Amino acid sequence: MASAAAATAAAAAVAASIRERQTVALKRMLNFNVPHIKNSTGEPVWKVLIYDRFGQDIISPLLSVKELRDMGITLHLLLHSDRDPIPDVPAVYFVMPTEENIDRMCQDLRNQLYESYYLNFISAISRSKLEDIANAALAASAVTQVAKVFDQYLNFITLEDDMFVLCNQNKELVSYRAINRPDITDTEMETVMDTIVDSLFCFFVTLGAVPIIRCSRGTAAEMVAVKLDKKLRENLRDARNSLFTGDTLGAGQFSFQRPLLVLVDRNIDLATPLHHTWTYQALVHDVLDFHLNRVNLEESSGVENSPAGARPKRKNKKSYDLTPVDKFWQKHKGSPFPEVAESVQQELESYRAQEDEVKRLKSIMGLEGEDEGAISMLSDNTAKLTSAVSSLPELLEKKRLIDLHTNVATAVLEHIKARKLDVYFEYEEKIMSKTTLDKSLLDIISDPDAGTPEDKMRLFLIYYISTQQAPSEADLEQYKKALTDAGCNLNPLQYIKQWKAFTKMASAPASYGSTTTKPMGLLSRVMNTGSQFVMEGVKNLVLKQQNLPVTRILDNLMEMKSNPETDDYRYFDPKMLRGNDSSVPRNKNPFQEAIVFVVGGGNYIEYQNLVDYIKGKQGKHILYGCSELFNATQFIKQLSQLGQK
C-alpha cells in the first residue's frame, strides 16, 4: 500500500500556503494519485467521486464544482446514498476508514457498481480493516478492479491560506464542552485527544515538516503535545516508511528552519470568543449563518412591489461563497466594518461609471450618418467600445461581487443597528483593557433596546472573567436579577464562576493590553446618506492594534522572549532521539514560521489578531488552527450545558 504523502510533499514543494498544499494533494488524488499537470492537452479521464461527509467538508472549501469538472469528475455522490451502477467508469473514493464506511465499500464491490476502484482514506486505515476490504474484493472476484489504496493524511479542513480547523462533522466529540466536562472518564479523554492528534499529524504530513512543540503545563494542550510528539517520533523512527522523507528537501516556504507549533488551551482566554467584534469576517461569523466559507442569508423579497393588501412574500434563502477568489473579500475581510461599507459604496460607484460609459458608447454608435461630429467620433469610439465590450465579463463579475457584498454587509448592518453592537463592542473593549467605563454595566443590561439576552450575557461574562476583583455576593445578586429580568439563562455564568474558582488564573486574568478603540464621532461621516448603507447612529470605531493573549504567547515563544507567562512552557523536539522533557529550548534563534493551535475551539477574532500581528514582521509566517471554529452563540451554548445543575 502506497503513501501519497511523501510524493505529495515533493510535488507541493513549490506551494506556499497550507491551502495550496491541501489543494495540490486533493487534485493529485482525483487524478488517480498522479501529479495533476495544468496544461496537459489530453482530455481528463471521466470518473465519479464518492465521499462521506468528512470528505465533502474537506473538499468543498477548496475545489468548486467547475474545478471538479475540469478534473474529470462528472458526478460526486455521498457514500451512504442510493447510487446506481455505472459499470464503465472508474470511481475515486475519499472517506474516513470507519467501520460503516468500509462495510458500504465492500457492498459496492459485491454489487460491481464501477469499472475500477481508487480507495483513498482521509486518515490512515488499520491493517484489520484493510484485510476486510481485501476479503470482500476476493469474495466479489473484484481484486483486479481495486486499482489503488491510499492513505491521504488529509484529515483537516483548510479555510484560508493560513487557517485550518480539525473537523466539522461530529465536532461535539472534540468540543470545549467535551474536554471540560466534569464527568469525563479517562478513556473518553484519551479518545478526544487521539482524535485531535490524528488530525494534527495529518496536517504536518501535508505541510511536509516536523515541528518543534511548545505547550502550557497541566492542560489539555499538554496532553495533545505528549501524544503528538510520540506519534511523530514513531513515524520518524521507521525510516523506510516515514512520511517526512521530503522534510529534508525543505518543502516550499518552510525551508530553512523547522516551524514552531504552539499548543494553547482555550481556558487561557475565555473572554475573546464571547467578545462582540468589529471586523468584517468575524462579524459575518458572529451574526450570520457562516459555515465552511459559505454564508446563508434570508432575503426579504420586499413589500414595495406587492399590491396593497397582498400577503408579504416568502423570504428567499441565498447562499454566497466567500473565497480567496473574491478580491473584495480578500482585501476587506479583516477591515473594520464602516470601512467595508464605504468600500462597497465606492465599488458600486466605479461600476456604475463603467456601465454608463458602455451605454454612452453604444448610443453614439447608433448615430450613423446623422451627424458629421458623430461620424468623426466613430473611429475613436469603435476602439473604445471594443475594449469596453471585451471587459464586459470582468464588469459582470465585478457586479456579482458588489451585489454579494452589498447583501452581506446590509444583513450585518441590520444586526449592528438592531442590537447596538457598536455599543457592546466599545464597552467590552474598555472592560478588557481596564479603561474607565462611562456607563454602568447595569444600565446596559437593563436597557431593553440594547441587544438580545445573549448579547447581555456575553457582556457580563466578559466583565466577570476580566475583572481582578470578583463582584461581591450582593452585587452579583443584583446583576443576576437584571440578567434574569432581561431574559438571560444564567447557566453559562454558573460554569464561569466554577471555572474561575478552580483556575490558578483567578488571581491574574489574561490582560488584553491598554485602550483599544477611539470613537470617531457619533454620526459616521463615512457614509453619505444617499448611500446603500446609512450608518447613522452607529459609531465609527477605529481599531487600535492590541495583542490578544494567544498572540502574546505566540510572540514570546516565536521571538524567544523571556516572560513569566510562557517561561515554563514544555518543549518537545520529535527529531531528538531521546525524548527529554525540558522547558529549555535547544534553539536560541527566533522562529520564522509558527503554527498556533487552540485546543478547545477558536474564532475569527483571534485569527485576525494574529494576521494583523504578523503584518509587521517581514518574512515571517503564521498559521492558525483550532479543534473547532465557533461563534459566541455556539460557545455560550456549550458553557450553558457545562453550567447546568
Side-chain angles (χ1 to χ4, degrees):
M1 180 176 135
S3 151
T8 306
V14 288
S17 66
I18 187 65
R19 179 193 204 98
E20 262 175 76
R21 286 174 184 239
Q22 200 175 20
T23 308
V24 166
L26 285 171
K27 285 186 171 174
R28 181 193 173 85
M29 174 189 85
L30 296 173
N31 207 34
F32 305 125
N33 286 300
V34 180
H36 173 63
I37 298 149
K38 270 197 184 143
N39 309 331
S40 55
T41 45
E43 276 293 300
V45 179
W46 298 113
K47 47 199 170 266
V48 290
L49 168 63
I50 312 292
Y51 47 35
D52 60 1
R53 295 269 180 217
F54 289 91
Q56 186 181 31
D57 287 345
I58 292 166
I59 292 172
S60 73
L62 296 176
L63 296 171
S64 64
V65 174
K66 181 188 177 304
E67 286 172 294
L68 288 175
R69 181 131 317 131
D70 292 345
M71 299 278 312
I73 302 291
T74 48
L75 269 177
H76 36 97
L77 304 163
L78 281 163
L79 176 65
H80 295 281
S81 59
D82 295 329
R83 288 174 281 119
D84 297 323
I86 315 177
D88 50 352
V89 170
V92 175
Y93 284 72
F94 184 50
V95 296
M96 286 292 267
T98 61
E99 206 71 56
E100 51 178 346
N101 282 354
I102 307 261
D103 289 348
R104 187 59 189 258
M105 289 158 90
C106 294
Q107 191 184 320
D108 287 0
L109 287 170
R110 285 193 294 274
N111 297 343
Q112 304 201 336
L113 288 191
Y114 308 110
E115 176 197 64
S116 54
Y117 301 83
Y118 291 80
L119 309 181
N120 296 280
F121 294 102
I122 296 172
S123 253
I125 182 171
S126 67
R127 176 87 200 195
S128 62
K129 286 184 177 149
L130 206 53
E131 284 165 3
D132 294 345
I133 295 177
N135 292 334
L138 274 171
S141 313
V143 175
T144 50
Q145 287 157 283
V146 178
K148 295 229 174 104
V149 180
F150 269 98
D151 283 342
Q152 288 293 349
Y153 295 100
L154 290 173
N155 188 15
F156 59 96
I157 300 169
T158 307
L159 295 176
E160 301 283 342
D161 286 346
D162 47 6
M163 178 185 193
F164 67 101
V165 299
L166 292 198
C167 59
N168 178 46
Q169 301 300 321
N170 306 348
K171 59 183 172 191
E172 59 284 350
L173 299 180
V174 294
S175 65
Y176 178 82
R177 174 175 175 250
I179 296 169
N180 291 280
R181 267 181 30 224
D183 57 347
I184 190 165
T185 64
D186 287 354
T187 336
E188 286 171 327
M189 194 63 157
E190 288 286 318
T191 311
V192 173
M193 295 301 133
D194 287 339
T195 311
I196 293 176
V197 168
D198 176 66
S199 285
L200 278 173
F201 181 76
C202 289
F203 171 83
F204 284 105
V205 171
T206 306
L207 197 63
V210 179
I212 282 169
I213 307 170
R214 303 294 307 269
C215 69
S216 50
R217 293 174 184 271
T219 59
E222 182 179 28
M223 295 158 91
V224 171
V226 171
K227 280 182 178 287
L228 181 62
D229 175 61
K230 181 166 177 264
K231 189 162 181 146
L232 288 166
R233 201 175 279 280
E234 281 167 3
N235 188 269
L236 289 166
R237 200 174 295 141
D238 178 4
R240 274 189 329 183
N241 298 317
S242 172
L243 299 164
F244 295 95
T245 43
D247 185 39
T248 45
L249 306 172
Q253 142 198 358
F254 288 86
S255 45
F256 303 112
Q257 195 196 24
R258 287 163 58 197
L260 167 73
L261 168 64
V262 179
L263 288 166
V264 293
D265 196 282
R266 179 69 274 156
N267 281 321
I268 61 150
D269 173 15
L270 291 184
T272 299
L274 296 166
H275 188 17
H276 287 87
T277 173
W278 202 233
T279 55
Y280 192 24
Q281 184 178 35
L283 264 166
V284 169
H285 189 230
D286 189 12
V287 303
L288 304 178
D289 173 13
F290 182 47
H291 193 62
L292 295 181
N293 292 352
R294 172 169 291 177
V295 63
N296 299 307
L297 290 184
E298 278 198 351
E299 290 189 332
S300 47
S301 10
V303 188
E304 57 274 7
N305 307 338
S306 50
R311 278 193 310 204
K313 292 183 190 166
R314 274 219 325 249
K315 288 189 168 185
N316 296 331
K317 276 198 161 33
K318 276 219 157 164
S319 285
Y320 300 111
D321 289 320
L322 297 173
T323 61
V325 183
D326 177 341
K327 298 276 190 295
F328 185 89
W329 177 246
Q330 280 309 90
K331 189 176 172 191
H332 293 291
K333 63 184 187 203
S335 307
F337 187 72
E339 270 178 39
V340 176
E342 183 182 14
S343 301
V344 173
Q345 191 58 28
Q346 285 166 352
E347 292 281 324
L348 191 60
E349 279 158 16
S350 98
Y351 165 76
R352 282 186 182 142
Q354 274 174 286
E355 195 182 40
D356 290 347
E357 175 67 0
V358 175
K359 282 184 187 152
R360 190 180 70 78
L361 290 169
K362 278 186 175 165
S363 70
I364 290 175
M365 300 302 269
L367 291 177
E368 288 151 306
E370 292 181 18
D371 175 357
E372 289 302 307
I375 299 288
S376 63
M377 285 164 73
L378 210 63
S379 53
D380 293 347
N381 284 315
T382 311
K384 280 190 189 165
L385 186 65
T386 313
S387 93
V389 169
S390 67
S391 66
L392 266 179
E394 204 182 302
L395 205 59
L396 288 170
E397 175 59 8
K398 198 171 179 184
K399 174 81 170 83
R400 185 187 73 80
L401 290 181
I402 292 166
D403 289 347
L404 183 164
H405 288 287
T406 302
N407 292 340
V408 173
T410 306
V412 170
L413 184 62
E414 282 167 8
H415 278 274
I416 292 176
K417 287 184 160 180
R419 292 160 55 186
K420 297 193 176 169
L421 297 184
D422 51 332
V423 175
Y424 277 92
F425 168 70
E426 190 185 13
Y427 200 84
E428 287 163 5
E429 287 274 316
K430 285 182 175 168
I431 289 174
M432 288 160 82
S433 60
K434 315 273 187 285
T435 317
T436 41
L437 304 171
D438 48 359
K439 194 174 181 185
S440 93
L441 193 58
L442 271 175
D443 286 353
I444 298 187
I445 295 171
S446 315
D447 178 355
D449 296 330
T452 60
E454 186 186 280
D455 290 325
K456 296 174 196 281
M457 194 70 213
R458 283 164 68 178
L459 172 68
F460 184 71
L461 289 178
I462 289 172
Y463 161 72
Y464 194 83
I465 291 165
S466 308
T467 171
Q468 221 98 44
Q469 192 60 51
S472 67
E473 276 305 314
D475 286 352
L476 192 59
E477 283 311 313
Q478 202 179 353
Y479 283 125
K480 278 183 173 174
K481 184 182 181 312
L483 288 164
T484 313
D485 292 348
C488 297
N489 165 359
L490 295 182
N491 284 345
L493 176 59
Q494 195 51 42
Y495 172 72
I496 293 291
K497 218 175 145 183
Q498 292 162 358
W499 168 81
K500 205 163 173 174
F502 282 132
T503 48
K504 298 187 285 292
M505 288 170 53
S507 54
S511 85
Y512 296 86
S514 54
T515 60
T516 43
T517 51
K518 15 184 219 295
M520 296 210 7
L522 208 59
L523 290 184
S524 161
R525 292 180 299 283
V526 171
M527 298 300 136
N528 47 5
T529 31
S531 117
Q532 197 93 31
F533 302 97
V534 187
M535 297 279 286
E536 275 167 21
V538 175
K539 292 183 182 179
N540 180 16
L541 303 166
V542 175
L543 293 165
K544 185 165 175 287
Q545 183 50 39
Q546 284 300 332
N547 288 343
L548 292 173
V550 167
T551 308
R552 269 208 323 276
I553 288 167
L554 171 91
D555 178 54
N556 291 341
L557 296 171
M558 198 173 176
E559 301 296 340
M560 307 304 267
K561 295 176 180 171
S562 174
N563 187 302
E565 199 173 16
T566 48
D567 281 348
D568 72 334
Y569 267 48
R570 287 186 68 178
Y571 177 90
F572 297 89
D573 182 350
K575 280 192 169 179
M576 300 292 291
L577 287 174
R578 275 181 295 285
N580 59 339
D581 170 30
S582 80
S583 50
V584 184
R586 299 271 171 130
N587 168 12
K588 292 282 182 274
N589 300 328
F591 286 86
Q592 295 303 305
E593 285 99 16
I595 298 103
V596 185
F597 185 83
V598 187
V599 178
N603 53 72
Y604 281 112
I605 307 178
E606 241 159 28
Y607 163 66
Q608 192 53 51
N609 195 253
L610 285 162
V611 169
D612 293 341
Y613 157 81
I614 207 70
K615 273 182 193 155
K617 313 270 178 199
Q618 241 180 336
K620 298 205 171 205
H621 302 277
I622 293 184
L623 288 166
Y624 176 75
C626 47
S627 45
E628 64 161 329
L629 185 67
F630 46 50
N631 62 15
T633 305
Q634 293 154 339
F635 189 45
I636 283 256
K637 193 173 166 191
Q638 293 192 33
L639 296 179
S640 181
Q641 290 165 333
L642 285 166
Q644 276 167 356
K645 283 279 199 300

